[in-house]
Amino acid sequence: MSINTDQETAPIATPRNGSAGNVFRSFGSLFGGANNDNNSVATRSSSGDGYVEFGMQDPERNGRTLGTFAGVFSPVALSMFSALVFIRVGYIVGNAGLYITLLQFIIAYAILIFTVASVCAISTNGAIEGGGVYFMISRTLGLEFGGSIGTLFFFANVVGSAMAISGCTEGIMNDFGPDSSFGVAVLPGGPWWSFLVSSLINTCMLLVCLVGAALFAKTSVIILGTVIICLFATYISFLAKGATNDTIPDASNATGFLNYTGLSAQTLRDNLGSHYGVDYTSNSKPVDFSTTFGVLFSGVTGIMAGANMSGELRSPSKSIPWGTLSAVAFTFVSYIILSFLMSCTTPFATMQKNYLFLMPINLWPPFTAIGILTATFSTGLSNLIGSSRILEALSKDQVFGSLLNFVLSGTWKGNPIAAVVVSWCLVECVLLIGSFNIIAQINSVLFMLSYLATNLACLGIELTGAPNFRPLFKYFTWHTCLVGLLGTLIMMFVINPIYASSCIILCLILVIALHLFSPATQAAQWGSISQALMFHQVRKYLLMLDPRKDHVKFWRPQILLLVSSPRSCCPLVDFVNDMKKSGLYIIGHVKLGDFRAVEDPEENQKWWSFLDHMRVKAFTEVTLSRSIREGVQHLIRLSGIGAMKPNTIILGFYDNEAPKDFFQNGSSPYKTDDFNNGDIQSFPIRRDGEPKHFQVQEYVQILCDTLRMKKNLCLCRNFQRLDKNFISISKHVKFIDVWPINIFNPTSGDPFDMVSLFMMQLAVIMLAKWKHLRVRIFLCEAPEQRTVGTFDTQAPQMEVFSKMKLEQSLKELRINADIIEIQEWSRDTDFSRLARTVKQYTAQADETLLSDDDDEASEDKLNRSLLYMQRANQIIRQRSDQTALSFVYLAAPPKLSVPDFNERSANYVELLTELTAELPPTILVHGVSTVTSTTL
C-alpha cells in the first residue's frame, strides 16, 4: 500500500539568528546589489518626491554621488549626439529632403519616447542597482530572454563603439588626410590607413578604460559642454556666413569643389523633397529611405546611457525618468534646428558629396573638428565601457555557466580587464567593415532589438496584472508599450530585413540555448515574466474549460497516485508518468498529524525536488490528517482545479512485503543521495518487520470511498519488479495482457462491460509507449456456458459467437490486439466447481464480498475460494512468461454497510493477494466511466 503512515510532525518553525537581516539582504541581492553587509538592508525614503527605495546603502557611503544632470542627462545627450550631429545630418537631409528628414526624426523619437516610458516604468518599480538596462531586462523577462537580450545588447554596444570610432576616423582623415580642410596633409589616404587610424583610436580607448574610465565618467559634463558650444557655433555660422564659392571640396571627387549658398529661399525649396543619390563612402551604394533612417536612428540610440549609470546614481528612480526625457527633448530640438538650417543654406548636392561640409562653412573650422572628435570619442568610449560592464554582468550572473569565468578571473581592483580586452577585440573586428553607414545600420537593428525587449518586458508585466508592478512613473500604459514594440519591430525590417531577421533568429537561438543549458537556480532567483504570463493564460483557459462540455472522444486519464514513501515506489511513479497520456498527473501524500503542529516549510520543496529527480511531469499534493482515510478523501475531493480534476485513483497494493529502497539500492536507476541528510532521511520508509500504520479494513474503506466518488480505481502490485530499461531492450518480453473476466463472478454475460473497456483503453495507452509490444486479450469462457447435455452442441456455437463479437468490437474501437481463448474455467471440472463456489461465496448483485446469509459464510467455502484464486493465479502465471504488464479485472469491494465488514474486507484482500501472487507487474482495474468511443 503506497500511502503515507508517518505520524511525526515538524516542530514549529522559529527564526534563526539574524534571519530578518538575511531576508532583507536576500531582497537586496535579488535586485542585483553587490553589497551584503548590514548597512545594505537599510530602508530609505526621500524627502518630498514620494518615492521609496529598498535594499540600498546610504548613497554617500555607497559611492552613489551622481545626480540627474551629470549622471543621466549628460550621458544620454552625448550618446544621442554621437557622430550624427556633425557628420551625418547633412547626409540625411541631402538625400531624403527636409520633409522626409523631419518625418524620420518624428518616427525615431516617437519610438524612443515610448521606449523611454517603458524604461522609466521599470526603473521606478523597485530598487535599481548596477547593471542598467541589462539588469532591468534580465530581472524582468527572466533568465532566457534577459540573458539573450543582454548578449545582443552587449554586441550593440560593441557595434556602437565601432560606429563612433569610424565617425571619429572620418573626421581625422578629413582634417589631416590628403584633402585636409586645414591644408595639413599628414596622413595618407586609403581604406587601410583609415583602419589603422581607427585601430589607434580604439587602442587609446582601451588604455583609458584600463586606467581612467571612472575619471572619464566624471568629466562627461565638461565634454557635453564642449559639444554644445561647437553646435551653437555651427548654428551661428549658418546664420552669419553668406555664400562661398569653390571653398568646399568634393569628397567624392578629389579635384572638384562644391557650392554653399547661405540663407536662401530657393535652396530651401530645392531641399524640401528627396534627392536620393549614392553613398561615396561605401563604393557608391545607392541611398534610399531605409539607409538614411538606419543612419539617423543609429545616432539617437543613446537613451539607455542614463539607465546604465544606475549603480552610480543617488536616486535612480528619480534621475532616470527626468534626465532621460529632458535629454531626449533637448537633442530632438537640436536636430530639428540643425536640419532646418542645413536645408536653408546648403544645396543637396553639397550635402551628398561631402559629409563634413560643416567644417569649411564654420566661422572657425576648429569648432567643428573639436565637436566631431569629442562627440565621437566620448560616445565610442562610453559604449566600450558599457559593453565590458555588460559582459562582466553576464559573467557574474553565470548566464552561460562557466564559459565566461575568465572574465571574473581577469578583474583587477574592480576593473574588468578581461571584459575590456574582449570588447576591444570585437570592436576591431567590426571596424573591418569600414563604412560608417553600414556599421550604423547594424547598430540601429541591434539597439532596436533591445528596445523591443524593453517594451516587451513592460507590456508583459502590465498585461499580467502583477500586484507588485506599481511604478512611480505614471505616464505609460500597455498601449504605449505596444506601440513602442510594434514600432521598433517594423522599423527594424525597414532599415534592413536581413540584419533584422538575423538578429531575431540569433536571439531565439540564444533563448533556446539558455533555456536548455543555463543553471535553473539562477532562473528561480531572478523570477521570470514567463511564469506570470503562463499563470495569466492558464487561469483564463481554466475558466473556459467547462466540465459540462466533456466528451468521451477526448477522454484522457487524469491520475491521482497515492504514495507513502517515494523511496519505495519509484518504478510506479515513473510508470504512471507514461500512462497519463498528456493528462493531469498528481502525486498525493497523506501525512498523519494534528493541524496544531506547523508543517515543515521545506516539505513541499522536497517533493518538487523528488519530481525533478524522477523527471516526471506531475504535481504534488500533501495533506495533513488524523487518519489515512480522511486524508485520502481530502486529496480525492480537492486535488486539481476546475475541470482539471483526477478521474482515476491509483494505489499500491496492501501486502506484507518489505518495501524496497530505490534511493539506496545499488542497481536501481533511481539511486540518489540527494534525499539523505545524515542519519535522517527526508522520506521515511517502513523497514522489514515494522508494523503498518493502518489496518486492512481502512484500506478497503478507501477503495469503497473512491468508487462512491465515481472515480476509476487501480491497484498496482509487483511494480518493484518493473524495469523499463529491460523491457525496452529485451527480446523475450513481448506482451501486455488484459484479462477482462470478473474472476470473482465469472458469468456468461457481456465481457465488454465498462471495466473491461477501461482496461483495454489503458493497455492501448501503454502500447503507445512500448511500441514493440503487442496487446493480448484473454477470452475466458464462464462455467455455465457449458451445461450438461449441451457440451458438444451449443458450446462451440457460443464460443465462436463470443470470439467474433470480441473481434468486431476491437475493430470498431480501432484496437489491434491478439485474442487468446482460455477454456479452463469450463472444461476443468474441479476448477468449474470451485468457480461456482466462489460465485456463491460472493454476492455481486449488491456488490458485497459475502452474501447476507451468514450461515453460508463458512471457513470451508473461504478455503475453496482461496483454492479457486490460486488456480486462477496459476492460469494467469502460465501465460505470463513473456508479459511486461498485466491488467486484471478488479471486483468491487464489499459495501461499507454490510454486516461484518471488517472480516469481509480482510477476506477480500486475501483473495486478491492469492490472485496476484508471483505475477509480473499487475494492475487491478475497476472502471466506473465510459472511456471509449466508436464515433468520429
Side-chain angles (χ1 to χ4, degrees):
M1 171 65 179
S2 297
I3 302 178
N4 180 51
T5 56
D6 181 14
Q7 301 188 44
E8 296 182 3
T9 57
I12 297 177
T14 56
R16 300 176 181 177
N17 292 334
S19 61
N22 290 332
V23 170
F24 281 101
R25 279 193 290 274
S26 300
F27 183 81
S29 63
L30 179 62
F31 287 95
N35 301 297
N36 293 321
D37 59 358
N38 294 331
N39 293 330
S40 65
V41 302
T43 304
R44 181 176 61 84
S45 174
S46 69
S47 58
D49 54 11
Y51 72 96
V52 181
E53 294 176 2
F54 301 95
M56 295 187 297
Q57 293 182 352
D58 179 74
E60 299 298 331
R61 297 179 60 186
N62 196 26
R64 294 174 173 269
T65 58
L66 296 181
T68 301
F69 186 80
V72 180
F73 180 88
S74 295
V76 172
L78 275 176
S79 297
M80 296 187 72
F81 279 145
S82 65
L84 179 67
V85 66
F86 293 109
I87 297 180
R88 284 299 185 273
V89 175
Y91 160 81
I92 298 167
V93 175
N95 285 281
L98 181 61
Y99 288 154
I100 300 299
T101 299
L102 295 179
L103 176 63
Q104 290 183 350
F105 272 113
I106 291 172
I107 294 174
Y109 272 83
I111 293 173
L112 295 178
I113 287 295
F114 291 131
T115 304
V116 167
S118 299
V119 172
C120 294
I122 296 176
S123 64
T124 59
N125 188 53
I128 300 296
E129 296 295 323
V133 175
Y134 161 70
F135 173 84
M136 290 187 287
I137 293 176
S138 61
R139 269 54 173 184
T140 304
L141 287 181
L143 177 66
E144 295 91 348
F145 284 98
S148 59
I149 295 297
T151 303
L152 293 181
F153 192 54
F154 160 72
F155 286 118
N157 277 271
V158 168
V159 176
S161 179
M163 184 192 74
I165 293 173
S166 180
C168 187
T169 301
E170 198 170 306
I172 291 176
M173 296 301 291
N174 184 79
D175 294 339
F176 304 104
D179 302 318
S180 173
S181 300
F182 302 118
V184 182
V186 178
L187 299 174
W192 287 107
W193 279 101
S194 297
F195 176 74
L196 177 60
V197 173
S198 298
S199 299
L200 292 175
I201 298 172
N202 192 24
T203 304
C204 291
M205 291 182 178
L206 172 65
L207 296 176
V208 174
C209 288
L210 297 179
V211 178
L215 179 62
F216 166 77
K218 296 177 182 178
T219 60
S220 60
V221 175
I222 299 175
I223 298 174
L224 176 63
T226 303
V227 173
I228 292 175
I229 291 173
C230 297
L231 182 60
F232 278 133
T234 303
Y235 291 163
I236 295 171
S237 299
F238 277 126
L239 298 174
K241 194 164 186 176
T244 59
N245 295 320
D246 299 337
T247 58
I248 302 178
D250 187 346
S252 62
N253 183 0
T255 60
F257 289 90
L258 302 170
N259 187 32
Y260 175 78
T261 64
L263 291 173
S264 169
Q266 182 60 42
T267 302
L268 176 61
R269 284 192 293 269
D270 294 340
N271 286 330
L272 292 178
S274 59
H275 303 86
Y276 292 113
V278 295
D279 180 10
Y280 67 86
T281 66
S282 58
N283 299 322
S284 298
K285 183 179 179 181
V287 178
D288 54 18
F289 179 91
S290 62
T291 55
T292 54
F293 184 79
V295 173
L296 182 150
F297 196 84
S298 68
V300 295
T301 54
I303 58 172
M304 305 292 196
N308 288 338
M309 300 293 292
S310 58
E312 287 76 34
L313 297 175
R314 285 197 300 268
S315 175
S317 301
K318 179 180 178 181
S319 297
I320 291 175
W322 286 106
T324 305
L325 288 172
S326 57
V328 168
F330 173 72
T331 56
F332 178 75
V333 172
S334 300
Y335 278 126
I336 295 300
I337 294 174
L338 186 60
S339 301
F340 185 76
L341 290 176
M342 285 183 176
S343 299
C344 292
T345 59
T346 312
F348 65 84
T350 302
M351 291 185 282
Q352 286 181 354
K353 296 180 179 180
N354 191 333
Y355 301 151
L356 293 170
F357 71 94
L358 290 181
M359 189 173 298
I361 69 167
N362 203 302
L363 292 176
W364 191 54
F367 269 129
T368 304
I370 293 172
I372 292 173
L373 295 178
T374 53
T376 55
F377 191 86
S378 62
T379 302
L381 187 55
S382 65
N383 281 327
L384 184 63
I385 295 172
S387 62
S388 64
R389 269 47 178 185
I390 294 172
L391 186 61
E392 181 188 22
L394 290 170
S395 177
K396 286 182 177 179
D397 290 339
Q398 292 289 297
V399 172
F400 296 99
S402 59
L403 183 63
L404 297 178
N405 283 350
F406 72 93
V407 174
L408 296 180
S409 302
T411 301
W412 184 68
K413 293 185 178 181
N415 192 7
I417 304 297
V420 172
V421 173
V422 170
S423 301
W424 175 84
C425 294
L426 292 176
V427 170
E428 281 290 303
C429 295
V430 178
L431 288 173
L432 290 171
I433 296 175
S435 174
F436 176 94
N437 294 342
I438 295 177
I439 297 175
Q441 291 186 55
I442 301 174
N443 180 70
S444 296
V445 170
L446 286 171
F447 271 103
M448 276 192 165
L449 189 60
S450 65
Y451 296 166
L452 185 148
T454 304
N455 286 300
L456 178 64
C458 198
L459 177 65
I461 301 178
E462 179 70 7
L463 291 181
T464 58
N468 282 321
F469 187 58
R470 299 186 296 272
L472 300 178
F473 183 81
K474 302 299 182 182
Y475 301 102
F476 88 101
T477 64
W478 69 267
H479 304 85
T480 61
C481 302
L482 182 61
V483 171
L485 187 151
L486 294 177
T488 52
L489 183 62
I490 293 171
M491 296 315 297
M492 280 174 62
F493 285 92
V494 169
I495 292 172
N496 194 305
I498 296 177
Y499 294 163
S501 302
S502 301
C503 288
I504 292 176
I505 292 173
L506 177 59
C507 182
L508 292 177
I509 292 174
L510 287 171
V511 168
I512 295 172
L514 291 175
H515 177 74
L516 295 176
F517 302 111
S518 59
T521 54
Q522 201 69 3
Q525 180 184 4
W526 292 358
S528 175
I529 196 174
S530 61
Q531 297 298 310
L533 290 172
M534 282 189 284
F535 177 89
H536 180 76
Q537 292 300 108
V538 167
R539 173 186 169 275
K540 180 174 72 174
Y541 287 115
L542 274 175
L543 292 173
M544 295 172 61
L545 188 62
D546 190 345
R548 295 169 296 182
K549 299 179 181 179
D550 285 345
H551 194 280
V552 65
K553 290 188 297 184
F554 307 110
W555 180 90
R556 67 181 70 240
Q558 305 202 135
I559 297 172
L560 171 62
L561 172 64
L562 300 173
V563 304
S564 173
S565 174
R567 292 175 172 272
S568 61
C569 58
C570 291
L572 180 58
V573 171
D574 197 7
F575 168 80
V576 175
N577 185 62
D578 292 337
M579 195 171 68
K580 69 179 185 297
K581 190 63 175 178
S582 301
L584 180 68
Y585 181 18
I586 300 174
I587 297 177
H589 175 73
V590 178
K591 191 175 182 66
L592 288 178
D594 197 309
F595 276 102
R596 289 175 296 181
V598 179
E599 283 290 280
D600 182 0
E602 297 183 358
E603 178 82 15
N604 289 333
Q605 183 62 40
K606 295 175 185 176
W607 281 92
W608 284 109
S609 299
F610 168 70
L611 295 184
D612 293 338
H613 170 66
M614 293 296 299
R615 298 180 180 178
V616 297
K617 297 178 180 179
F619 302 95
T620 61
E621 289 288 351
V622 180
T623 187
L624 184 67
S625 178
R626 293 183 177 89
S627 71
I628 297 295
R629 181 187 179 190
E630 181 183 351
V632 171
Q633 290 174 348
H634 295 164
L635 290 174
I636 295 176
R637 289 181 180 276
L638 301 178
S639 295
I641 183 171
M644 299 286 290
K645 304 283 287 185
N647 57 31
T648 303
I649 311 302
I650 299 181
L651 301 90
F653 194 78
Y654 190 96
D655 54 33
N656 295 317
E657 294 185 18
K660 182 178 179 181
D661 191 345
F662 288 93
F663 286 174
Q664 294 184 338
N665 188 293
S667 60
S668 169
Y670 312 104
K671 187 178 187 301
T672 179
D673 293 326
D674 294 343
F675 303 99
N676 295 331
N677 183 15
D679 296 329
I680 302 175
Q681 296 176 334
S682 299
F683 297 112
I685 186 172
R686 181 176 63 86
R687 301 299 178 183
D688 191 13
E690 293 181 1
K692 291 179 177 291
H693 293 278
F694 65 104
Q695 300 301 317
V696 65
Q697 292 79 13
E698 187 174 6
Y699 177 75
V700 178
Q701 288 172 345
I702 292 172
L703 305 186
C704 295
D705 294 338
T706 301
L707 296 179
R708 288 176 63 191
M709 285 187 273
K710 303 300 181 183
K711 305 293 184 182
N712 303 303
L713 177 63
C714 296
L715 306 182
C716 299
R717 190 179 188 192
N718 300 326
F719 270 80
Q720 72 276 8
R721 303 177 185 176
L722 182 67
D723 189 338
K724 289 174 55 178
N725 296 330
F726 176 75
I727 292 174
S728 62
I729 64 175
S730 174
K731 295 182 179 180
H732 177 73
V733 179
K734 299 179 180 179
F735 304 112
I736 298 174
D737 292 346
V738 178
W739 295 83
I741 184 172
N742 185 353
I743 300 175
F744 277 61
N745 183 23
T747 66
S748 59
D750 186 2
F752 300 100
D753 61 2
M754 194 173 293
V755 176
S756 299
L757 292 175
F758 186 77
M759 297 164 61
M760 295 179 191
Q761 183 77 293
L762 295 181
V764 172
I765 290 175
M766 290 312 303
L767 190 64
K769 292 292 182 181
W770 295 335
K771 299 181 185 297
H772 63 290
L773 302 184
R774 287 191 60 81
V775 174
R776 293 190 301 183
I777 299 177
F778 290 90
L779 182 60
C780 304
E781 187 178 355
E784 63 266 29
Q785 284 183 260
R786 298 186 180 274
T787 58
V788 178
T790 62
F791 185 88
D792 297 325
T793 57
Q794 296 182 8
Q797 296 178 5
M798 295 183 66
E799 180 179 329
V800 172
F801 172 76
S802 179
K803 184 175 181 181
M804 289 177 59
K805 182 179 179 181
L806 176 57
E807 291 175 342
Q808 181 63 29
S809 298
L810 293 178
K811 183 177 180 181
E812 292 176 356
L813 293 171
R814 291 90 61 203
I815 296 177
N816 185 18
D818 299 329
I819 301 175
I820 309 297
E821 297 180 84
I822 304 295
Q823 278 104 27
E824 278 88 339
W825 262 268
S826 58
R827 293 186 177 178
D828 188 327
T829 306
D830 293 336
F831 184 58
S832 299
R833 189 181 304 112
L834 290 173
R836 285 192 290 273
T837 301
V838 78
K839 184 177 179 182
Q840 295 172 6
Y841 187 55
T842 58
Q844 292 297 321
D846 60 350
E847 291 187 325
T848 61
L849 179 63
L850 300 175
S851 67
D852 293 333
D853 187 357
D854 292 336
D855 294 335
E856 295 185 5
S858 63
E859 187 70 23
D860 180 62
K861 288 189 176 181
L862 175 60
N863 292 334
R864 287 176 176 271
S865 298
L866 291 173
L867 289 174
Y868 167 73
M869 289 298 173
Q870 292 171 1
R871 178 60 180 146
N873 170 264
Q874 183 182 4
I875 294 173
I876 297 175
R877 235 182 325 127
Q878 287 174 350
R879 292 161 177 82
S880 300
D881 180 56
Q882 296 178 303
T883 300
L885 177 67
S886 294
F887 291 93
V888 177
Y889 196 116
L890 174 65
K895 287 186 176 180
L896 295 171
S897 59
V898 300
D900 301 326
F901 173 81
N902 290 345
E903 181 181 354
R904 297 181 183 187
S905 59
N907 293 338
Y908 174 77
V909 173
E910 188 175 1
L911 292 175
L912 292 178
T913 303
E914 292 295 335
L915 176 63
T916 57
E918 301 300 325
L919 292 182
T922 301
I923 302 179
L924 295 162
V925 180
H926 192 96
V928 297
S929 58
T930 303
V931 298
T932 57
S933 173
T934 59
T935 62
L936 290 176

